[in-house]
């Protein structure tokens, strides 16, 4: 099975330890941990501990590490189907969108924020979703966290743990999924991810590959 398939299966379990173990295994297969750490903006100690601790890692670290591995988080509603594929030729795009469930709407907003490869817009969408909930107390009862935890966790510049986001999504009837994106390669100029572009900007040249000592 491909590394994408292994990670997809891990995320499908919605289990923090299973997900972290799969990512840790993928990191261990990298040819240069030093280079990997510099691209992900984490030190070696943090990287090795991040996916082995019981509480897992932070959401921002998860986003960065997956980006360097060539993957990106997305959010889907549980049981979500491809409505476009099921629509017949007489069904307009507008009618399809009108049938979209609230859960699918939240999933689209979160996925769009995750496409930025930055934690801030993702936290903003989570905060917006929390504000639209009629009963946070009832929502928190579906998790092991109190409502105050959610309110505090999703207020930038505070960055929540990945486990907190995972738990909240589960309570909302949503889940994380993963998809492949063009991986940043030092030997090529394109394609470049948003994270790679930001890293290149630190060198003073957004187009020049970042030279990193091994």
């Amino acid at each position: 099975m491909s590394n994408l398939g292994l990670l997809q299966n891990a995320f499908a379990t919605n289990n923090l330890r299973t997900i972290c173990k799969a990512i840790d295994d993928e990191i261990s297969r990298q040819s240069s941990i030093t280079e990997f750490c510099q691209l992900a903006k984490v030190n070696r100690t943090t990287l090795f501990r991040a996916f082995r601790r019981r509480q897992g890692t932070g959401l921002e670290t998860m986003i960065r590490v997956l980006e360097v591995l060539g993957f990106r988080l997305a959010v889907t509603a549980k049981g979500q189907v491809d409505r476009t594929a099921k629509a017949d030729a007489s069904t307009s795009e507008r009618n399809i969108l009108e049938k979209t469930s609230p859960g699918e709407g939240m999933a689209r907003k979160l996925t769009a924020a995750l496409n930025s490869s930055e934690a801030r817009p993702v936290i903003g969408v989570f905060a917006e979703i929390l504000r639209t909930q009629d009963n946070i107390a009832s929502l928190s009862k579906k998790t092991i966290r109190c409502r105050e935890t959610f309110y505090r966790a999703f207020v930038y510049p505070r960055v929540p743990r990945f486990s907190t986001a995972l738990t909240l999504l589960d309570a909302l009837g949503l889940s994380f999924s993963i998809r492949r994106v063009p991986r940043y390669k030092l030997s090529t100029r394109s394609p470049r991810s948003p994270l790679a572009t930001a890293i290149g900007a630190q060198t003073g040249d957004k187009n020049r590959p970042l030279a990193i000592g091994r």
Side-chain angles (χ1 to χ4, degrees):
M1 183 179 292
S2 67
N3 52 359
L4 174 61
L6 292 171
L7 287 173
Q8 286 177 328
N9 286 346
F11 273 88
T13 68
N14 209 41
N15 180 277
L16 178 65
R17 292 190 179 183
T18 301
I19 292 171
C20 287
K21 175 65 166 56
I23 295 174
D24 189 52
D25 288 345
E26 185 63 24
I27 292 171
S28 68
R29 288 191 281 269
Q30 302 307 301
S31 59
S32 173
I33 295 300
T34 298
E35 177 182 324
F36 188 94
C37 288
Q38 293 192 26
L39 286 173
K41 299 181 183 178
V42 297
N43 60 52
R44 294 174 71 98
T45 301
T46 299
L47 182 66
F48 284 124
R49 291 178 178 176
F51 299 96
R52 299 177 185 181
R53 292 180 296 191
R54 183 177 180 180
Q55 68 271 33
T57 188
L59 178 61
E60 186 170 41
T61 300
M62 177 67 77
I63 292 172
R64 288 179 175 177
V65 167
L66 286 175
E67 185 83 14
V68 177
L69 287 171
F71 303 101
R72 187 171 296 158
L73 290 172
V75 175
T76 57
K78 294 179 181 178
Q80 180 175 340
V81 297
D82 187 344
R83 296 178 182 274
T84 304
K86 291 198 170 187
D88 58 37
S90 63
T91 305
S92 68
E93 181 179 355
R94 180 178 179 181
N95 287 336
I96 294 170
L97 293 176
E98 287 176 349
K99 295 178 182 179
T100 300
S101 70
E104 290 172 336
M106 288 188 288
R108 284 205 310 270
K109 284 186 176 182
L110 284 166
T111 298
L114 286 162
N115 283 339
S116 71
S117 300
E118 299 290 339
R120 184 170 187 170
V122 179
I123 294 170
V125 175
F126 269 116
E128 177 187 341
I129 289 173
L130 284 172
R131 288 193 297 269
T132 63
Q133 300 304 303
D134 295 328
N135 194 333
I136 295 297
S138 176
L139 183 69
S140 65
K141 287 180 181 179
K142 299 178 182 180
T143 73
I144 59 174
R145 293 171 171 81
C146 63
R147 61 181 181 179
E148 289 79 11
T149 298
F150 289 131
Y151 281 128
R152 290 194 301 265
F154 299 99
V155 178
Y156 193 84
R158 180 176 290 147
V159 178
R161 303 204 71 80
F162 174 75
S163 59
T164 303
L166 188 71
T167 300
L168 177 56
L169 287 183
D170 187 52
L172 291 168
L174 307 173
S175 61
F176 278 118
S177 59
I178 193 171
R179 57 194 176 88
R180 191 183 294 281
V181 294
R183 184 169 182 175
Y184 178 56
K185 298 180 180 180
L186 296 180
S187 59
T188 61
R189 293 181 180 271
S190 64
R192 294 174 64 82
S193 68
L195 177 61
T197 300
I199 294 170
Q202 294 180 357
T203 69
D205 185 345
K206 294 183 179 181
N207 296 315
R208 184 177 61 192
L210 179 63
I212 298 176
R214 295 180 180 272

